[in-house]
Amino acid sequence: MGNEIIKTILIGREQGKSRLMIAVIKNGQIRTTTIGSEGSVPGNVSRCRPQEGVAHAKIEINNRGDMTLFNMKPQNVTCIDGVEVMTKRLDGHARTIELGPEHFRVDLYNLLNNVEILENDGIRIAGVPRNEKTDPKKDEKVFEISHLEKVWNDYHNRNIEMRKRQKKLGLLGSASLIFSLGGGALTVIMGPAMANVIPVFTVIGFIVCITSFYLRGKDNSIEATEKATEEFQDNYICPNPECGKFLGNYSYKLMKKQYSMSCPYCKCKFKE
């Protein structure tokens, strides 16, 4: 039989109420359910219209239980555990699907559990545990994350300083051209009376040009940016010592919102 597709799961925004909609298509039958409260899914997540086979993303499951996720439109943003994908084979390590540029998070285990409840057909999903799960509140780990705000602010401020430095060097380089051309322009506009001024403008332009060239040669913005990024990625991590995964290039405020005060990898809880 090969790898025959036996089930398709459509994922997207419910039309009208903007909840997360899941549609399961199997043997020509369509079953749908919604998750979350009204307005909880951002408008930039594509709508799910099961009758038309339209959604933001879909998961195809074959007769072996293997899962493959597809981003259904080129303009959509679909990520797996923070990495943008167009097509991705899912396994037991994949935890989170993120939809849209605001990275609306969908827990993969929760999604598949809802699918099982919806259809109750008992098909085993390869590599993904079923409902034999312990109480999520049991042995729940909670970690302080307020120190990550300083990590983000330091990284953000260093990037701003380096962009300002690059801007100043760019303006200095433009100034040399202005002085070089300015003398000639004044001569054309004001006549021979300005002829004596041209050498002055030329000398000033030459000095500014040499200064700009020297400062650009000594500028280490590229190296400093790389170093700042490496330090940021080393420190902006889940505080759980058993995890320690990088939490992405989100601001501290956005990170808390997107991850709902929990780690997207180890699922430990965050507190401030």
Side-chain angles (χ1 to χ4, degrees):
M1 294 177 60
N3 295 333
E4 178 186 358
I5 302 301
I6 61 172
K7 184 193 308 183
T8 299
I9 303 170
L10 300 180
I11 311 165
R13 176 171 53 88
E14 179 190 24
Q15 189 170 356
K17 295 185 179 180
S18 292
R19 295 176 293 191
L20 181 67
M21 173 176 277
I22 300 171
V24 181
I25 303 175
K26 182 181 179 183
N27 297 328
Q29 295 183 339
I30 301 175
R31 300 177 186 177
T32 64
T33 187
T34 57
I35 301 175
S37 58
E38 291 187 21
S40 58
V41 179
N44 47 38
V45 174
S46 294
R47 289 176 293 183
C48 181
R49 298 196 291 268
Q51 298 296 338
E52 303 172 30
V54 173
H56 189 99
K58 69 177 179 179
I59 297 174
E60 290 185 347
I61 304 174
N62 65 22
N63 55 336
R64 298 173 54 187
D66 299 323
M67 298 184 295
T68 304
L69 179 137
F70 298 88
N71 181 44
M72 295 190 69
K73 297 179 182 178
Q75 63 269 32
N76 286 348
V77 175
T78 302
C79 300
I80 297 295
D81 292 336
V83 179
E84 187 170 353
V85 299
M86 288 300 295
T87 303
K88 175 71 174 177
R89 170 81 175 274
L90 303 178
D91 55 28
H93 299 291
R95 293 178 178 272
T96 305
I97 301 172
E98 299 174 14
L99 307 177
E102 296 182 32
H103 294 263
F104 177 79
R105 296 177 65 243
V106 180
D107 184 272
L108 182 59
Y109 290 176
N110 183 49
L111 182 147
L112 295 174
N113 282 334
N114 275 276
V115 169
E116 289 196 36
I117 293 171
L118 180 64
E119 62 175 355
N120 194 27
D121 64 3
I123 288 183
R124 178 75 177 183
I125 306 299
V128 177
R130 301 291 293 279
N131 288 330
E132 309 99 340
K133 298 175 69 176
T134 58
D135 182 353
K137 297 296 182 181
K138 185 179 180 180
D139 299 326
E140 186 176 81
K141 297 181 179 180
V142 182
F143 294 90
E144 173 74 40
I145 62 166
S146 57
H147 66 285
L148 295 179
E149 183 172 16
K150 183 178 185 303
V151 174
W152 166 258
N153 288 338
D154 288 347
Y155 173 68
H156 180 63
N157 291 336
R158 287 169 73 179
N159 278 336
I160 290 178
E161 289 175 4
M162 283 182 279
R163 286 198 293 268
K164 287 181 178 178
R165 186 193 309 170
Q166 287 293 313
K167 183 178 179 180
K168 289 178 180 178
L169 289 174
L171 291 174
L172 187 61
S174 299
S176 64
L177 182 62
I178 292 173
F179 277 105
S180 298
L181 298 177
L186 287 173
T187 300
V188 172
I189 295 171
M190 302 184 69
M194 296 298 297
N196 294 331
V197 178
I198 294 179
V200 176
F201 274 79
T202 301
V203 170
I204 294 175
F206 178 75
I207 293 173
V208 173
C209 181
I210 293 298
T211 303
S212 173
F213 183 78
Y214 173 75
L215 292 177
R216 283 183 179 276
K218 293 192 64 177
D219 182 54
N220 65 342
S221 294
I222 295 177
E223 295 81 359
T225 298
E226 291 180 352
K227 182 179 179 181
T229 300
E230 289 178 1
E231 291 179 357
F232 174 65
Q233 293 175 345
D234 288 340
N235 296 308
Y236 202 61
I237 60 176
C238 172
N240 181 0
E242 297 177 1
C243 177
K245 295 286 185 65
F246 175 53
L247 294 174
N249 293 310
Y250 303 121
S251 69
Y252 178 72
K253 180 178 179 181
L254 183 59
M255 181 272 292
K256 293 191 299 178
K257 178 181 177 182
Q258 296 295 337
Y259 294 157
S260 302
M261 294 298 284
S262 65
C263 176
Y265 304 104
C266 70
K267 303 303 179 184
C268 72
K269 296 297 181 183
F270 295 157
K271 70 174 183 177
E272 291 187 297

